[in-house]
PDB file of all heavy atoms in Angstrom:
ATOM      1  N   SER Y  28      -6.433   7.673  11.157  1.00 82.00           N
ATOM      2  CA  SER Y  28      -5.354   8.490  10.755  1.00 82.00           C
ATOM      3  C   SER Y  28      -5.476   8.737   9.226  1.00 82.00           C
ATOM      4  O   SER Y  28      -4.720   9.681   8.731  1.00 82.00           O
ATOM      5  CB  SER Y  28      -3.949   7.669  10.952  1.00 82.00           C
ATOM      6  OG  SER Y  28      -3.900   6.598  10.139  1.00 82.00           O
ATOM      7  N   ILE Y  29      -6.311   8.158   8.595  1.00 89.00           N
ATOM      8  CA  ILE Y  29      -6.581   8.343   7.156  1.00 89.00           C
ATOM      9  C   ILE Y  29      -7.556   9.518   6.953  1.00 89.00           C
ATOM     10  O   ILE Y  29      -8.640   9.453   7.399  1.00 89.00           O
ATOM     11  CB  ILE Y  29      -6.958   7.046   6.381  1.00 89.00           C
ATOM     12  CG1 ILE Y  29      -5.945   6.055   6.437  1.00 89.00           C
ATOM     13  CG2 ILE Y  29      -7.273   7.345   4.951  1.00 89.00           C
ATOM     14  CD1 ILE Y  29      -6.230   4.726   5.958  1.00 89.00           C
ATOM     15  N   ILE Y  30      -7.092  10.526   6.131  1.00 90.00           N
ATOM     16  CA  ILE Y  30      -7.972  11.677   5.959  1.00 90.00           C
ATOM     17  C   ILE Y  30      -8.911  11.551   4.681  1.00 90.00           C
ATOM     18  O   ILE Y  30      -9.781  12.247   4.590  1.00 90.00           O
ATOM     19  CB  ILE Y  30      -7.148  12.955   5.791  1.00 90.00           C
ATOM     20  CG1 ILE Y  30      -6.202  12.822   4.610  1.00 90.00           C
ATOM     21  CG2 ILE Y  30      -6.349  13.207   7.186  1.00 90.00           C
ATOM     22  CD1 ILE Y  30      -5.544  14.138   4.365  1.00 90.00           C
ATOM     23  N   GLY Y  31      -8.573  10.535   3.875  1.00 92.00           N
ATOM     24  CA  GLY Y  31      -9.484  10.332   2.627  1.00 92.00           C
ATOM     25  C   GLY Y  31      -8.677   9.428   1.774  1.00 92.00           C
ATOM     26  O   GLY Y  31      -7.458   9.010   2.036  1.00 92.00           O
ATOM     27  N   ALA Y  32      -9.210   9.121   0.615  1.00 94.00           N
ATOM     28  CA  ALA Y  32      -8.686   8.157  -0.354  1.00 94.00           C
ATOM     29  C   ALA Y  32      -8.837   8.763  -1.755  1.00 94.00           C
ATOM     30  O   ALA Y  32      -9.860   9.463  -2.065  1.00 94.00           O
ATOM     31  CB  ALA Y  32      -9.380   6.848  -0.289  1.00 94.00           C
ATOM     32  N   LEU Y  33      -7.926   8.531  -2.581  1.00 96.00           N
ATOM     33  CA  LEU Y  33      -8.002   8.989  -3.954  1.00 96.00           C
ATOM     34  C   LEU Y  33      -7.271   7.987  -4.921  1.00 96.00           C
ATOM     35  O   LEU Y  33      -6.220   7.295  -4.540  1.00 96.00           O
ATOM     36  CB  LEU Y  33      -7.022  10.271  -4.058  1.00 96.00           C
ATOM     37  CG  LEU Y  33      -7.232  11.272  -5.226  1.00 96.00           C
ATOM     38  CD1 LEU Y  33      -8.720  11.722  -5.228  1.00 96.00           C
ATOM     39  CD2 LEU Y  33      -6.243  12.433  -5.135  1.00 96.00           C
ATOM     40  N   SER Y  34      -7.981   7.774  -6.057  1.00 96.00           N
ATOM     41  CA  SER Y  34      -7.510   6.920  -7.065  1.00 96.00           C
ATOM     42  C   SER Y  34      -7.018   7.755  -8.328  1.00 96.00           C
ATOM     43  O   SER Y  34      -7.461   8.972  -8.409  1.00 96.00           O
ATOM     44  CB  SER Y  34      -8.542   5.956  -7.440  1.00 96.00           C
ATOM     45  OG  SER Y  34      -9.519   6.601  -8.142  1.00 96.00           O
ATOM     46  N   PRO Y  35      -6.328   7.165  -9.232  1.00 96.00           N
ATOM     47  CA  PRO Y  35      -6.019   7.946 -10.460  1.00 96.00           C
ATOM     48  C   PRO Y  35      -7.243   8.481 -11.104  1.00 96.00           C
ATOM     49  O   PRO Y  35      -7.233   9.623 -11.667  1.00 96.00           O
ATOM     50  CB  PRO Y  35      -5.122   6.946 -11.299  1.00 96.00           C
ATOM     51  CG  PRO Y  35      -4.685   5.972 -10.293  1.00 96.00           C
ATOM     52  CD  PRO Y  35      -5.721   5.882  -9.222  1.00 96.00           C
ATOM     53  N   SER Y  36      -8.301   7.603 -11.275  1.00 94.00           N
ATOM     54  CA  SER Y  36      -9.493   7.888 -11.956  1.00 94.00           C
ATOM     55  C   SER Y  36     -10.160   9.124 -11.383  1.00 94.00           C
ATOM     56  O   SER Y  36     -10.601  10.086 -12.052  1.00 94.00           O
ATOM     57  CB  SER Y  36     -10.424   6.778 -12.017  1.00 94.00           C
ATOM     58  OG  SER Y  36      -9.821   5.661 -12.742  1.00 94.00           O
ATOM     59  N   ARG Y  37     -10.393   9.082 -10.046  1.00 95.00           N
ATOM     60  CA  ARG Y  37     -11.038  10.261  -9.381  1.00 95.00           C
ATOM     61  C   ARG Y  37     -10.166  11.538  -9.333  1.00 95.00           C
ATOM     62  O   ARG Y  37     -10.739  12.583  -9.395  1.00 95.00           O
ATOM     63  CB  ARG Y  37     -11.372   9.797  -7.941  1.00 95.00           C
ATOM     64  CG  ARG Y  37     -12.361   8.571  -7.905  1.00 95.00           C
ATOM     65  CD  ARG Y  37     -13.717   8.854  -8.487  1.00 95.00           C
ATOM     66  NE  ARG Y  37     -13.751   8.798  -9.928  1.00 95.00           N
ATOM     67  CZ  ARG Y  37     -13.810   7.641 -10.605  1.00 95.00           C
ATOM     68  NH1 ARG Y  37     -13.865   6.449 -10.032  1.00 95.00           N
ATOM     69  NH2 ARG Y  37     -13.797   7.794 -12.055  1.00 95.00           N
ATOM     70  N   ALA Y  38      -8.809  11.252  -9.313  1.00 96.00           N
ATOM     71  CA  ALA Y  38      -8.002  12.479  -9.431  1.00 96.00           C
ATOM     72  C   ALA Y  38      -8.066  13.056 -10.839  1.00 96.00           C
ATOM     73  O   ALA Y  38      -8.216  14.301 -10.922  1.00 96.00           O
ATOM     74  CB  ALA Y  38      -6.495  12.075  -9.120  1.00 96.00           C
ATOM     75  N   GLY Y  39      -8.200  12.226 -11.790  1.00 94.00           N
ATOM     76  CA  GLY Y  39      -8.357  12.643 -13.183  1.00 94.00           C
ATOM     77  C   GLY Y  39      -9.675  13.417 -13.327  1.00 94.00           C
ATOM     78  O   GLY Y  39      -9.813  14.454 -14.018  1.00 94.00           O
TER      79      GLY Y  39
END
Side-chain angles (χ1 to χ4, degrees):
S28 70
I29 294 175
I30 61 173
L33 200 59
S34 70
S36 298
R37 300 295 78 83

